[in-house]
């Protein structure tokens, strides 16, 4: 009898709490923020228990180097037209001209204050919070359902593949790109089903952020959007203007991204690089995984088994089982079903049973690895799971219970996988004076000029052997009548004195990228690429030589165009916002 009374009391208390939270949107969002922050703090504590940042992949050192290059360029006075001057024994590496670092800039200012490792952690923590809030906000805008937004945000933000990105892989760029997928989702919804004439700019903002974060993710999500348009072709046929406004959004996104895109294409037009002539993967098929490993990855995340890149995680699979209990219709049930099917297709595409060797899939080697498809797959399965759980929760009055179960599942997953992760700490950065940086670690060296000589071996560092062997030598053709003295590197500038009897061409210990400037006693000199991919300067007479990366005129023009485009968009948003408020006041 006491047991039945206790059960009734618990049930009554649950119903009161559930009703109170369900009827107060402010408390719903407040509760979500508290949960999100607590889970994010726990994630950081379990994955990074001390002051260092660790990872199992070399990507960590690559991203740490490009992150450090930002604050260096600010201190050197070369920002925003710079390259990574300290990398490769100060030969300089222009990763930022091909791999955007815009989203890292605000955090770089913290490096002198709290150290490199702590600033790097701040990126991870901040983008986890941002990802959670944007996921909640965008799903709420589409579904008008706070519970659905709550569940989706937790499932997506703490999806196992996203966690593996910043930890096991150390893939900071792709990790940050997760933050902006919800904006693209909301924007695409407005184009296809919403107020496309007023809200076309949302998808433009989403893609712009993605381009300035991770170009491969932007390309992948662009393909996903194209497939979505094919699936929803009836909406386009019924209202062709939707496609026009989507085109406008794409054009605006390109204008906003000109600073990065034009800078990159300028380099590509001037030279060729290793990612073109020595790609890491000429085919994407060999990078796929056995089906058994894909299946293993679908049920991982809650046990102390090893971490693997090809893991989608069981937390995204379990909520899909709620589909079995759903009967009748729901506004978003069809979307959830299609998302689940597409999500599983993407997961299957990671396996070696997918036809990667046949057209058109064999043309996607640019993606490098099929497991990148787990990013959109995580998003789609999180959508489906959140919708299914919310529908069942409404029917059974257990929405709050389901949210608590997901919170518990996420907590267990983070704690368990965080403990397993400690066994993968191969690379690390710290807050010490040199930050434990390896300036030779540039992963696949994709952005080296193609003319840099190399002999392929199993060790990927064969690509930089020439630079290591060559050292800091400044080569002149006439070694008898030419004398070089007072060689010095101050900040990002290389300087030396040269004494000549006749004009000379000098090869410097600097990788050639368009944008370098060289002067002889203040007068500009001609620069070109030498035979071995290094900077060659034509020197007409004796004097003091100074060489540094100065950027190009096109880079400066592109920056101005992007700023003007941004200001124009902000003015447009202000105008339509004012117009919308006037319309509301007129109705009232």
């Amino acid at each position: 009898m006491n047991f039945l009374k206790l059960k009734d009391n618990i049930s009554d208390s649950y119903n009161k709490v559930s009703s109170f939270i369900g009827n107060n949107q402010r408390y719903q969002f407040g509760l979500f923020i508290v949960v999100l922050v607590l889970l994010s703090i726990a994630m950081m504590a379990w994955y990074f228990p001390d002051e260092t940042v660790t990872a199992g992949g070399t990507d960590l050192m690559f991203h740490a180097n490009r992150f450090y290059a930002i604050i260096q360029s600010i201190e050197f006075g070369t920002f925003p037209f710079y390259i990574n001057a300290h990398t490769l024994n100060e030969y300089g590496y222009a990763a930022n001209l091909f791999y955007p670092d815009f989203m890292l800039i605000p955090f770089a200012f913290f490096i002198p204050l709290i150290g490199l490792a702590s600033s790097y952690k701040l990126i991870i923590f901040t983008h986890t919070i941002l990802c959670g809030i944007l996921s909640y906000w965008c799903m709420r805008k589409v579904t008008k359902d706070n519970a659905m937004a709550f569940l989706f945000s937790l499932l997506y933000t703490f999806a196992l593949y996203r966690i593996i990105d910043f930890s096991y892989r150390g893939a900071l760029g792709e990790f940050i790109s997760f933050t902006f997928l919800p904006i693209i989702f909301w924007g695409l919804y407005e184009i296809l089903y919403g107020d496309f004439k007023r809200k076309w700019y949302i998808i433009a903002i989403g893609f712009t952020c993605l381009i300035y974060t991770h170009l491969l993710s932007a390309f992948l999500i662009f393909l996903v959007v194209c497939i979505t348009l094919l699936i929803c072709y009836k909406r386009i046929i019924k209202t062709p203007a939707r496609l026009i406004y989507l085109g406008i959004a794409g054009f605006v996104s390109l204008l906003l991204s000109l600073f990065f895109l034009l800078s990159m294409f300028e380099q590509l037009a001037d030279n060729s690089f290793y990612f073109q002539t020595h790609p890491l993967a000429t085919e994407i098929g060999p990078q796929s995984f056995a089906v058994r490993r894909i299946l293993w990855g679908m049920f991982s995340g809650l046990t102390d088994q090893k971490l693997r890149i090809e893991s989608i995680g069981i937390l995204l699979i379990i909520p899909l089982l709620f589909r079995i209990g759903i009967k009748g219709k729901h506004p978003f049930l069809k979307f959830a079903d299609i998302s689940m099917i597409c999500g599983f297709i993407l997961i299957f595409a990671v396996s070696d049973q997918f036809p990667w060797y046949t057209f058109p899939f064999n043309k996607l080697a640019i993606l490098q690895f099929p497991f990148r498809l787990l990013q959109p797959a995580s998003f789609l399965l999180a959508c489906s799971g959140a919708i299914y759980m919310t529908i069942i929760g409404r029917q059974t009055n257990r929405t709050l219970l389901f949210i608590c179960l997901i919170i518990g599942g996420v907590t267990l997953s983070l704690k368990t996988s965080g403990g397993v992760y400690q066994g993968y700490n191969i690379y690390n950065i710290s807050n010490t004076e040199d930050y434990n940086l390896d300036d030779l670690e540039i992963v696949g060296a994709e952005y080296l000029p193609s003319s840099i000589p190399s002999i392929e071996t199993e060790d990927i560092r064969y690509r930089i052997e020439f630079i290591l062997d060559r050292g800091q030598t400044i080569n002149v053709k006439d070694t008898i009548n030419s004398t070089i003295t007072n060689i010095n590197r101050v900040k990002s500038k290389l300087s030396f004195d040269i004494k000549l009897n006749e004009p000379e061409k000098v090869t410097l210990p600097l990788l050639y990228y368009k944008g370098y400037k060289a002067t002889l006693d203040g007068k500009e000199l001609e620069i070109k690429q030498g035979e071995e991919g290094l900077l060659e300067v034509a020197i007409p007479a004796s004097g003091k030589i100074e060489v540094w990366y100065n950027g190009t005129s096109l880079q400066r023009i592109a920056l101005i165009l992007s700023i003007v485009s941004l200001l124009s968009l902000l003015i447009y948003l202000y105008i339509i916002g004012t117009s919308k408020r006037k319309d509301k006041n007129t109705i009232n």
Side-chain angles (χ1 to χ4, degrees):
M1 193 72 177
N2 291 333
F3 175 76
L4 292 176
K5 186 175 181 181
L6 177 63
K7 179 182 177 182
D8 290 339
N9 289 336
I10 292 174
S11 178
D12 184 55
S13 299
Y14 171 82
N15 290 332
K16 287 181 179 179
V17 173
S18 181
S19 176
F20 174 77
I21 296 175
N23 294 326
N24 293 273
Q25 291 190 14
R26 183 181 300 176
Y27 286 102
Q28 291 170 14
F29 185 69
L31 176 63
F32 163 73
I33 291 296
V34 170
V35 170
L36 176 65
V37 171
L38 290 177
L39 286 175
S40 300
I41 292 173
M43 179 189 76
M44 299 302 293
W46 286 326
Y47 271 84
F48 306 118
D50 54 41
E51 70 166 19
T52 63
V53 173
T54 58
T58 57
D59 281 27
L60 169 64
M61 205 59 69
F62 168 74
H63 291 294
N65 275 315
R66 70 188 190 94
F67 183 38
Y68 180 60
I70 298 172
I71 193 62
Q72 262 201 333
S73 68
I74 294 171
E75 293 172 350
F76 294 170
T78 57
F79 185 85
F81 310 106
Y82 68 97
I83 62 172
N84 194 339
H86 81 282
T87 303
L88 294 177
N89 288 344
E90 298 186 301
Y91 270 64
Y93 189 57
N96 57 298
L97 298 180
F98 303 91
Y99 198 123
D101 56 12
F102 185 81
M103 295 300 166
L104 306 181
I105 293 172
F107 303 95
F109 290 97
F110 289 92
I111 295 176
L113 302 176
I114 60 177
L116 182 69
S118 296
S119 300
Y120 198 97
K121 289 181 186 178
L122 187 61
I123 296 174
I124 296 171
F125 179 79
T126 302
H127 273 279
T128 298
I129 298 295
L130 279 177
C131 184
I133 292 174
L134 288 175
S135 301
Y136 182 98
W137 185 35
C138 293
M139 181 59 85
R140 175 70 179 81
K141 288 289 184 178
V142 171
T143 64
K144 308 297 187 292
D145 190 313
N146 287 353
M148 200 175 290
F150 200 135
L151 287 167
F152 167 70
S153 180
L154 293 184
L155 290 171
Y156 176 67
T157 302
F158 298 100
L160 184 59
Y161 179 70
R162 181 176 178 274
I163 302 300
I164 287 173
D165 254 356
F166 80 75
S167 57
Y168 178 71
R169 289 185 63 209
L172 186 66
E174 188 175 274
F175 165 78
I176 295 175
S177 72
F178 270 83
T179 305
F180 307 112
L181 262 62
I183 302 176
I184 294 175
F185 164 68
W186 175 28
L188 187 59
Y189 173 83
E190 294 293 348
I191 290 291
L192 293 173
Y193 297 97
D195 187 3
F196 63 93
K197 292 183 179 179
R198 280 180 175 267
K199 297 182 179 180
W200 57 265
Y201 61 86
I202 296 171
I203 194 170
I205 293 172
F207 263 108
T208 301
C209 292
L210 209 54
I211 290 170
Y212 275 113
T213 301
H214 192 242
L215 208 53
L216 284 181
S217 291
F219 174 70
L220 175 59
I221 301 306
F222 171 76
L223 294 180
V224 173
V225 168
C226 290
I227 294 171
T228 303
L229 293 176
L230 291 175
I231 295 173
C232 303
Y233 71 95
K234 291 182 180 179
R235 301 290 300 178
I236 301 298
I237 294 174
K238 184 178 180 180
T239 314
R242 295 182 186 276
L243 197 58
I244 295 173
Y245 277 87
L246 180 60
I248 293 172
F251 180 69
V252 170
S253 182
L254 286 175
L255 289 177
L256 293 169
S257 308
L258 282 178
F259 179 49
F260 169 69
L261 293 178
L262 282 184
S263 299
M264 180 183 68
F265 286 121
E266 182 183 26
Q267 296 296 324
L268 294 175
D270 182 66
N271 202 2
S272 62
F273 300 88
Y274 262 54
F275 73 89
Q276 297 169 300
T277 57
H278 302 68
L280 293 178
T282 56
E283 292 182 318
I284 193 170
Q287 319 304 322
S288 57
F289 295 93
V291 172
R292 59 181 175 78
R293 291 187 59 170
I294 304 302
L295 292 173
W296 184 93
M298 292 172 61
F299 296 96
S300 61
L302 293 180
T303 65
D304 59 357
Q305 297 177 7
K306 67 170 67 175
L307 293 174
R308 284 177 173 166
I309 294 174
E310 68 277 13
S311 300
I312 194 74
I314 196 170
L315 273 183
L316 289 178
I317 302 300
I318 291 176
L320 304 179
L321 300 177
F322 283 80
R323 179 63 178 91
I324 300 171
I326 297 176
K327 297 179 180 180
K329 296 183 178 180
H330 187 276
F332 294 99
L333 185 57
K334 184 178 180 181
F335 165 70
D337 290 341
I338 294 174
S339 295
M340 179 175 64
I341 293 170
C342 292
F344 277 121
I345 290 173
L346 291 172
I347 293 173
F348 172 68
V350 181
S351 77
D352 55 10
Q353 297 303 304
F354 190 79
W356 283 115
Y357 297 96
T358 60
F359 183 85
F361 306 112
N362 59 355
K363 302 300 180 183
L364 294 176
I366 189 174
L367 293 177
Q368 298 177 333
F369 310 108
F371 62 71
R372 293 191 192 278
L373 297 176
L374 294 181
Q375 182 185 39
S378 297
F379 181 90
L380 292 171
L381 295 187
C383 285
S384 299
I387 292 170
Y388 294 152
M389 292 188 75
T390 303
I391 294 173
I392 295 293
R394 294 269 193 270
Q395 293 174 353
T396 60
N397 191 32
R398 291 174 179 169
T399 303
L400 181 60
L401 175 62
F402 292 162
I403 290 174
C404 291
L405 289 175
I406 291 299
I407 293 172
V410 169
T411 304
L412 177 60
S413 178
L414 290 173
K415 189 176 190 307
T416 305
S417 59
V420 174
Y421 171 66
Q422 301 310 312
Y424 292 87
N425 298 344
I426 300 174
Y427 302 91
N428 70 83
I429 57 174
S430 65
N431 290 324
T432 56
E433 187 175 350
D434 63 355
Y435 305 126
N436 200 37
L437 284 174
D438 181 355
D439 67 85
L440 299 178
E441 189 54 74
I442 54 175
V443 194
E446 295 103 316
Y447 313 125
L448 285 178
S450 295
S451 300
I452 296 291
S454 62
I455 300 175
E456 187 172 352
T457 65
E458 292 184 0
D459 186 352
I460 193 65
R461 286 204 177 192
Y462 78 85
R463 299 182 172 209
I464 61 173
E465 281 296 324
F466 166 76
I467 295 171
L468 300 181
D469 294 340
R470 188 183 183 281
Q472 297 297 316
T473 304
I474 298 177
N475 289 339
V476 293
K477 292 184 178 180
D478 186 357
T479 57
I480 297 176
N481 298 311
S482 303
T483 305
I484 295 176
T485 57
N486 299 327
I487 301 174
N488 193 19
R489 287 186 184 267
V490 178
K491 297 182 177 179
S492 61
K493 184 177 291 186
L494 171 65
S495 64
F496 57 91
D497 295 326
I498 188 168
K499 186 175 181 181
L500 303 173
N501 290 335
E502 57 183 35
E504 178 69 276
K505 290 183 178 180
V506 177
T507 302
L508 305 177
L510 296 169
L511 295 179
Y512 172 80
Y513 297 100
K514 188 171 184 179
Y516 267 100
K517 186 174 182 179
T519 61
L520 170 63
D521 297 330
K523 295 180 180 179
E524 192 167 349
L525 300 174
E526 178 188 353
I527 287 178
K528 68 175 185 178
Q529 180 177 216
E531 294 180 358
E532 296 178 326
L534 302 180
L535 205 67
E536 185 178 279
V537 182
I539 303 176
S542 301
K544 184 178 181 60
I545 304 296
E546 293 183 312
V547 185
W548 71 99
Y549 190 82
N550 189 57
T552 67
S553 298
L554 186 60
Q555 289 176 11
R556 288 166 170 79
I557 292 171
L559 177 59
I560 293 171
L561 290 174
S562 290
I563 292 174
V564 170
S565 300
L566 177 61
L567 292 175
S568 300
L569 179 61
L570 292 175
I571 293 171
Y572 170 79
L573 294 178
Y574 175 77
I575 291 172
I576 63 171
T578 303
S579 174
K580 191 175 182 179
R581 285 192 295 270
K582 286 182 178 179
D583 292 342
K584 284 185 178 180
N585 293 333
T586 302
I587 294 173
N588 294 335

